[in-house]
Amino acid sequence: MAIHALLEELGVDYELVEIDLTKGIQRTPEYLAINPNGKVPTLVHKGEVIYESAAILMYLLDQHPDAGLAPSLGSVKRGHYYQYLTWMSNTLQEAINRWAHPENYVGGDIDLSLVVDKATLELNRCWQLIDDELVNNGPWLLGDSLSGADYHLFMLAYWSRCYDSRAQDWPNICQHLKAMLQRDSIQQMMSQEGLTFKC
C-alpha cells in the first residue's frame, strides 16, 4: 500500500503486478526467484530487484529528491526519518505480524491467544508512542513536513483496523489518517486496490 501510494504521489510510470497471497503466488518458484522471502512488495527497477517496504520507500524517494518527501542528507530530520521507518519495520510491524499470524511464532500446542494478547499490549504501547509524538511534534511524523514515513504509518494503521488494538482509536493518529486520506495519491491507491477506510 505505501509503495503503491508513493508511486502515485511521485507521478511516475509503473506497472503494478498483483501477487495474490491467498493463492500462494508468493511461494511459486517464479516469484521466489525474484524475492526469496516470498513476501510483498518487490520492486524491479533498471534491472535491479529491491524488497522490503521501507527499503523500497527510501530508494524511491532518493530517486526523486525533488518530491520533498525525504529530508535532505545530513539533516537531523533525516535521522528521524530513518528512525521512524526502521522502528516501524522492526518494532511496530513485528507486533502487527505477531497479532495477525501468531502461528508463525510458536509451535506445538501452545495457546495462540497468549501470543495475540502480548502483541496487543505491544501495539497499544506503539500506538501511544506515535500518538504522543504527533500531539507534541505533529501534524506529521517529522513535524510540519509530510514524508515517506507517513505513508508507511498509514499502511500499518490500515492493517490494524480489525485488530484488538486499532491505530485509529488514538485521537492524534486518527487525525493523521484523516489527513492522509485526503491525499490524491492515497485515494488513487485505495481505489485501484478496492479498499475503503474510515477513521
Side-chain angles (χ1 to χ4, degrees):
M1 292 177 66
I3 303 307
H4 187 179
L6 269 177
L7 290 166
E8 286 291 328
E9 183 75 30
L10 295 171
V12 297
D13 292 330
Y14 66 92
E15 178 186 1
L16 190 66
V17 178
E18 181 181 4
I19 304 299
D20 192 334
L21 303 181
T22 64
K23 295 180 180 176
I25 294 174
Q26 73 278 14
R27 293 187 296 275
T28 62
E30 294 79 12
Y31 189 74
L32 290 172
I34 298 170
N35 185 338
N37 296 294
K39 295 183 178 181
V40 294
T42 301
L43 175 71
V44 180
H45 183 243
K46 296 181 179 179
E48 295 294 323
V49 174
I50 302 164
Y51 47 79
E52 295 297 326
S53 290
I56 296 170
L57 184 151
M58 289 186 280
Y59 174 79
L60 283 174
L61 295 184
D62 284 349
Q63 301 298 305
H64 300 276
D66 53 313
L69 291 172
S72 61
L73 284 171
S75 72
V76 173
K77 286 198 174 189
R78 184 78 173 200
H80 291 154
Y81 164 73
Y82 290 146
Q83 167 194 289
Y84 279 119
L85 286 169
T86 303
W87 178 82
M88 284 189 281
S89 296
N90 294 340
T91 303
L92 176 55
Q93 194 166 336
E94 184 61 22
I96 285 172
N97 289 339
R98 287 198 310 274
W99 194 96
H101 302 286
E103 70 281 1
N104 293 338
Y105 292 86
V106 295
D109 296 328
I110 294 176
D111 183 357
L112 294 181
S113 68
L114 298 174
V115 178
V116 172
D117 291 346
K118 184 69 173 173
T120 298
L121 291 175
E122 178 65 358
L123 284 171
N124 287 339
R125 185 189 73 80
C126 291
W127 298 136
Q128 187 63 62
L129 190 153
I130 294 172
D131 202 70
D132 291 344
E133 286 290 318
L134 289 171
V135 74
N136 293 323
N137 303 307
W140 307 110
L141 285 174
L142 299 182
D144 293 333
S145 302
L146 176 74
S147 76
D150 295 296
Y151 283 81
H152 201 78
L153 175 58
F154 180 86
M155 175 180 71
L156 300 180
Y158 175 85
W159 291 353
S160 78
R161 72 200 183 284
C162 300
Y163 294 4
D164 294 332
S165 179
R166 306 183 317 163
Q168 67 220 57
D169 293 333
W170 272 258
N172 300 294
I173 298 176
C174 187
Q175 285 303 114
H176 179 277
L177 298 176
K178 286 179 179 177
M180 290 298 291
L181 284 164
Q182 295 301 308
R183 300 198 66 80
D184 288 343
S185 56
I186 293 287
Q187 292 177 19
Q188 286 293 323
M189 176 274 293
M190 299 285 281
S191 174
Q192 290 171 34
E193 297 195 17
L195 305 175
T196 59
F197 188 35
K198 291 184 180 180
C199 184

